[in-house]
Amino acid sequence: MTRKSADAAGRHTIRDVAARAGVSASTVSRVLAGHYPVSAATRTRVMRAVKELDYVADARARAIAGAGASTVAFVLDDITGPSFAQMAHGVEREASRRGHLCQVCTTEGDPERELAVVEVMRAQRAAAVILVGGTVESPGYHERMSGIARSLQSAGSRLVLCGRPPLGPDVPATVIEYDNEGGAFALCSHLLSHGHRKILFLGGIRGHMTADGRERGYREAYAARGIDPDPALIRTGDFTRDGGHRRVREVLAAELDFTAVFATTDMVAAGALTALREAGLRVPEDVSLAGYDDIAFARDLYPPLTTVHVPYEELGRIAVSTALDRSPTARNEHRLLGTHVVVRDSVGDLRGSGGAARADRPARPPAEQPVGTRPGGGVT
């Protein structure tokens, strides 16, 4: 009679497989690892037993034993966002190329869930844990992130902050950023250079790292020309299509005067475009529109959207390669990737029109032309 060896959850163990196949547990391990010579007959018996018992090897045990592919964890707020999907694609492709599995985890913006996910990945000995996107800074943010970084380092793993600022020179973490603020500066400068002064800014939640950086770039572009933006035209909210639609409707209902819209994501810009059309306004003849991210559908909107290109897929790829290629003695690495404005057809030129919101046949710049640089060369 076979000795009962199922675990506490009732799952079959490697000893069950060995007993069913009539071999030792070490032989089952060799067959599953695939690195050792085993006769065809023995392999057939073991795999038949695995199938009959629906046996699944414990991932933590395999990682500790050095068997199987190690994991690269990709942790983000929401996988439905197009920019996150592009980054996930870069992470998965680079991890796969290097023989690693990619595990995607979502937190829905909950810091406690983020911490719990990272702890699970540490226990499973993930080769790297990549935290993606901005977050709302709190008094305990740096302390919590620093603790996570040191915990992963002690387990032989690595924390990678992708799109978040560094934690400090003594924290063992890899930081892969893009010039978020510089991209916003370049885009707002582009609008201002075309005669727009009343630019409706559809920002994100105050305190959110990404949102705050884009608002700073917007304000700095105005300051560089010695003028101030209209505070009534700075509207905060979420980064969704519905959020953009709602805020533009509110501004139109309030009869505020503006000639251009700077949406801090392309999804927000898509909602803004719908709201403008519902109000009978044409883009760019009546109101100019610009977005941020350069996600795939931006070029398919009508008119095609002027926006800031962020190299999201490259960010994901570099996050993996930098973490896995790091020196064993490295404390931290910091990479900053450039952003640039992609000019399409959604921005009209008010120069020579007296600044009127409805310029006659505004001049349109050539499509797909990177423009604008921030002082200090922050934008490519």
Side-chain angles (χ1 to χ4, degrees):
M1 185 174 180
T2 304
R3 180 172 62 89
K4 179 69 174 177
S5 58
D7 64 14
R11 297 170 297 197
H12 288 290
T13 70
I14 197 168
R15 290 190 177 88
D16 296 325
V17 175
R20 177 67 67 93
V23 298
S24 67
S26 60
T27 297
V28 175
S29 294
R30 287 195 292 271
V31 170
L32 295 178
H35 302 315
Y36 305 96
V38 179
S39 71
T42 298
R43 181 178 299 278
T44 298
R45 291 204 311 275
V46 169
M47 295 312 296
R48 182 186 299 120
V50 167
K51 182 177 181 180
E52 291 172 350
L53 296 176
D54 194 23
Y55 171 73
V56 179
D58 180 66
R60 287 171 294 180
R62 288 174 62 82
I64 292 170
S70 61
T71 300
V72 171
F74 182 72
V75 184
L76 68 164
D77 288 355
D78 177 14
I79 199 170
T80 63
S83 57
F84 286 146
Q86 289 182 31
M87 198 179 301
H89 184 60
V91 169
E92 196 281 329
R93 289 187 65 182
E94 185 65 18
S96 177
R97 189 181 73 81
R98 292 166 174 267
H100 294 265
L101 298 176
C102 179
Q103 183 167 346
V104 178
C105 310
T106 59
T107 66
E108 299 180 356
D110 182 352
E112 294 306 316
R113 179 172 171 78
E114 182 177 82
L115 181 60
V117 166
V118 172
E119 284 301 311
V120 170
M121 293 300 101
R122 185 181 72 87
Q124 294 188 359
R125 296 178 179 262
V129 178
I130 302 172
L131 297 184
V132 177
T135 186
V136 176
E137 288 197 84
S138 64
Y141 170 77
H142 283 277
E143 181 179 355
R144 186 178 77 252
M145 285 294 106
S146 298
I148 287 174
R150 294 188 177 97
S151 177
L152 289 170
Q153 179 85 346
S154 67
S157 183
R158 187 68 168 181
L159 176 66
V160 183
L161 300 176
C162 208
R164 297 187 185 185
L167 296 171
D170 297 327
V171 180
T174 295
V175 177
I176 311 295
E177 284 190 281
Y178 60 91
D179 193 358
N180 181 44
E181 187 174 324
F185 177 94
L187 183 60
C188 189
S189 296
H190 177 64
L191 293 171
L192 290 166
S193 72
H194 281 70
H196 297 280
R197 294 296 179 266
K198 297 181 179 181
I199 303 171
L200 173 60
F201 181 77
L202 303 180
I205 299 170
R206 288 273 165 75
H208 189 278
M209 297 174 181
T210 301
D212 286 354
R214 294 180 187 183
E215 183 173 335
R216 283 195 300 272
Y218 165 84
R219 291 179 180 276
E220 288 174 6
Y222 270 95
R225 285 163 173 76
I227 54 179
D228 296 319
D230 182 351
L233 295 180
I234 299 176
R235 299 293 175 121
T236 59
D238 56 36
F239 282 160
T240 67
R241 177 265 177 204
D242 289 346
H245 181 265
R246 180 181 61 256
R247 280 176 279 169
V248 169
R249 285 176 60 90
E250 290 172 352
V251 171
L252 290 171
E255 298 185 349
L256 296 178
D257 186 20
F258 61 95
T259 65
V261 178
F262 178 164
T264 47
T265 72
D266 292 343
M267 294 297 293
V268 172
L273 179 60
T274 300
L276 291 169
R277 284 182 174 160
E278 290 172 347
L281 297 172
R282 300 166 300 165
V283 174
E285 291 85 356
D286 301 322
V287 179
S288 290
L289 176 65
Y292 201 117
D293 287 335
D294 195 23
I295 59 179
F297 79 72
R299 70 192 69 178
D300 296 321
L301 293 175
Y302 184 77
L305 185 66
T306 291
T307 184
V308 175
H309 177 76
V310 180
Y312 284 115
E313 186 169 337
E314 185 182 6
L315 278 164
R317 180 181 58 79
I318 292 176
V320 174
S321 62
T322 304
L324 298 182
D325 292 342
R326 73 188 186 279
S327 166
T329 59
R331 292 296 295 170
N332 54 61
E333 301 95 4
H334 186 191
R335 297 280 299 275
L336 179 65
L337 304 186
T339 54
H340 63 258
V341 176
V342 179
V343 176
R344 297 193 178 102
D345 294 343
S346 63
V347 174
D349 197 335
L350 295 188
R351 292 172 297 183
S353 68
R358 298 173 182 261
D360 292 332
R361 305 290 297 175
R364 298 184 184 182
E368 303 291 339
Q369 175 188 346
V371 301
T373 57
R374 189 184 185 200
V379 180
T380 59

